[in-house]
Amino acid sequence: NFRPKCDFGDAPATYDPNPISPAVHEREDTLRLGATWDREWVKDGVTGIEDTDDGITFMSVLQPGGGAYLAQISVFNNRTTNATLIAWLDYNGNGLFDASEAITPITVTPSASSQSFWLYWASAPNTFVNGQSTYMRIRIAPVSAGMTTSHANGYFGVGEVEDYRVLIDN
């Protein structure tokens, strides 16, 4: 069967509540998260072994009860226009990426080399206990696509989506 070169989110199904509108981007080598696109356009799963996302090399743990959360991501934008980078952290544990759980969108200017950005939540109040986990979703799309914090799901013609499991531990 024909399968377009698309990049899908890898978080559990609850994070894409409308099965006909999951987080998906068409593959384009000039705008991506991380260093490669090698196998990322196949929905592989949510375990560390199956996950081929490479924008974040080290996932920080989230403190039980809350506090700040910080992660660093590598981004490549070799287009002629700016891109929008947004991340969501499901710190309320409801199995969805809510607009209120997103960082302030980051504008990524064009560059011939990779750029690093800090994803920062000043406060991530939660009721998790040690050993539990939650998920983070990161998306990049051209500014012209109009991606906002309300777009944790849905289709964008260019860009990438990556999902990461976040461990809860103090």
Side-chain angles (χ1 to χ4, degrees):
N1 292 340
F2 172 77
R3 181 181 177 102
K5 299 255 180 173
C6 292
D7 181 43
F8 294 89
D10 293 320
T14 62
Y15 289 98
D16 287 311
N18 183 346
I20 61 171
S21 187
V24 62
H25 293 263
E26 294 283 338
R27 175 182 170 164
E28 183 176 312
D29 292 331
T30 61
L31 185 63
R32 64 177 182 262
L33 303 170
T36 67
W37 264 105
D38 59 349
R39 296 179 316 270
E40 294 185 34
W41 56 275
V42 176
K43 187 170 178 80
D44 283 334
V46 295
T47 69
I49 295 170
E50 297 169 327
D51 197 358
T52 56
D53 293 337
D54 67 349
I56 295 179
T57 55
F58 174 77
M59 287 301 300
S60 302
V61 296
L62 178 63
Q63 293 276 332
Y69 187 79
L70 183 67
Q72 186 177 33
I73 187 157
S74 174
V75 176
F76 184 71
N77 177 14
N78 197 21
R79 296 172 57 86
T80 58
T81 60
N82 291 343
T84 301
L85 174 69
I86 303 177
W88 295 261
L89 176 63
D90 181 24
Y91 57 78
N92 69 8
N94 68 351
L96 299 168
F97 294 115
D98 301 314
S100 62
E101 296 174 316
I103 62 167
T104 301
I106 297 170
T107 300
V108 180
T109 58
S111 174
S113 58
S114 292
Q115 304 171 63
S116 291
F117 293 92
W118 289 102
L119 310 174
Y120 179 66
W121 288 261
S123 178
N126 65 72
T127 58
F128 296 121
V129 297
N130 283 344
Q132 289 184 305
S133 62
T134 190
Y135 284 86
M136 177 194 304
R137 172 165 286 167
I138 307 160
R139 298 184 86 172
I140 190 167
V143 166
S144 61
M147 184 173 67
T148 69
T149 58
S150 297
H151 293 111
N153 309 98
Y155 171 85
F156 286 102
V158 174
E160 185 174 2
V161 56
E162 291 188 355
D163 292 337
Y164 293 90
R165 186 173 171 260
V166 178
L167 179 65
I168 311 303
D169 196 356
N170 58 5

